[in-house]
Amino acid sequence: MLVGILAFQGGVIEHKQMLGVVGAKTVEIRTPRELRGIDALVFPGGESTHLSKELDESGLTLKIFRLIKKGLPVFGTCAGAILLSKKVDGKKGKFPFVDISIKRNAYGRQVESFEAKLKVSKLGWFPGVFIRAPIIESIGKKAEALAFFNGKPVLVRQKNVLVATFHPELSGNKRLHEFFLQNVALQ
Ligand code: GLN
């Protein structure tokens, strides 16, 4: 299994390490050519507006959009989740494949970063590392929430796309990457 990792910014190395631990090969993606041969794709965190600009300037946006539409499994964390949301701060998202409305930087300045123990369905307890995280304010019927924090979904799946508003790559726990490979990518 070859997993591409969008490599403009964010936890690229950490995702790479986690995916390596669970037995996947990885390739860093910065140009359309590098998409060739990938079986799945990871959108790391960072700054969604910056990532969006890099995606456009590199010519990746349309290529990736088509691949996701065709069923390419994608795992988006934090800013990556923002890019995959149907609505972002009331506007249409970049890759609107997950039927959720998300609000950026919604925990506010006082609580920029925090950790919370999350109960993930079928997986059990998982350490949630939140960094300037967005909040998923509403979720549509087609999407399935797999974990909640304060009553709001923080891990959501819709078909071939899995999004987390937290950072599993920084948690020291490989189980969500494993879950992605086994349950989303290998289906
Ligand atoms: N605050 C960032 C954004 O709005 C996301 C933060 C992150 O990825 N850790 O894009």
Side-chain angles (χ1 to χ4, degrees):
M1 158 98 36
L2 180 65
V3 183
I5 306 174
L6 196 65
F8 294 118
Q9 61 166 190
V12 178
I13 289 168
E14 290 82 357
H15 273 296
K16 213 176 190 172
Q17 282 167 351
M18 280 288 180
L19 289 162
V21 169
V22 297
K25 291 202 178 91
T26 53
V27 56
E28 295 186 8
I29 307 287
R30 291 184 196 83
T31 64
R33 282 184 59 206
E34 289 157 344
L35 293 168
R36 244 183 261 157
I38 60 168
D39 304 299
L41 182 61
V42 167
F43 284 180
E47 188 62 43
S48 51
T49 46
H50 178 78
L51 285 169
S52 178
K53 203 169 142 248
E54 296 275 16
L55 281 159
D56 289 346
E57 286 174 4
S58 59
L60 280 167
T61 301
L62 191 59
K63 298 260 181 341
I64 290 179
F65 188 95
R66 287 188 181 140
L67 288 172
I68 304 175
K69 204 165 176 197
K70 275 204 251 162
L72 181 77
V74 185
F75 187 13
T77 59
C78 204
I82 294 170
L83 293 173
L84 291 155
S85 299
K86 189 170 176 184
K87 281 213 159 151
V88 179
D89 295 337
K91 298 192 192 98
K92 194 176 177 199
K94 190 162 193 79
F95 303 111
F97 290 98
V98 185
D99 194 1
I100 50 177
S101 295
I102 205 162
K103 189 164 183 253
R104 296 178 61 208
N105 302 317
Y107 290 99
R109 288 191 143 255
Q110 270 91 17
V111 278
E112 288 216 316
S113 306
F114 59 95
E115 268 194 60
K117 225 172 139 192
L118 307 171
K119 197 175 176 209
V120 177
S121 82
K122 291 173 213 140
L123 217 139
W125 293 105
F126 191 89
V129 177
F130 292 81
I131 304 168
R132 290 185 301 112
I135 289 182
I136 295 171
E137 296 190 301
S138 64
I139 176 163
K141 280 202 195 93
K142 290 179 196 149
E144 182 193 3
L146 302 173
F148 292 86
F149 175 70
N150 275 351
K152 304 280 191 201
V154 290
L155 178 68
V156 174
R157 178 187 183 171
Q158 184 169 335
K159 291 196 277 187
N160 52 319
V161 184
L162 180 70
V163 294
T165 61
F166 53 97
H167 289 268
E169 76 282 13
L170 302 178
S171 67
N173 187 318
K174 62 173 188 185
R175 293 188 68 208
L176 218 46
H177 285 78
E178 199 168 54
F179 175 88
F180 172 66
L181 290 190
Q182 289 176 358
N183 296 280
V184 186
L186 287 175
Q187 273 206 345

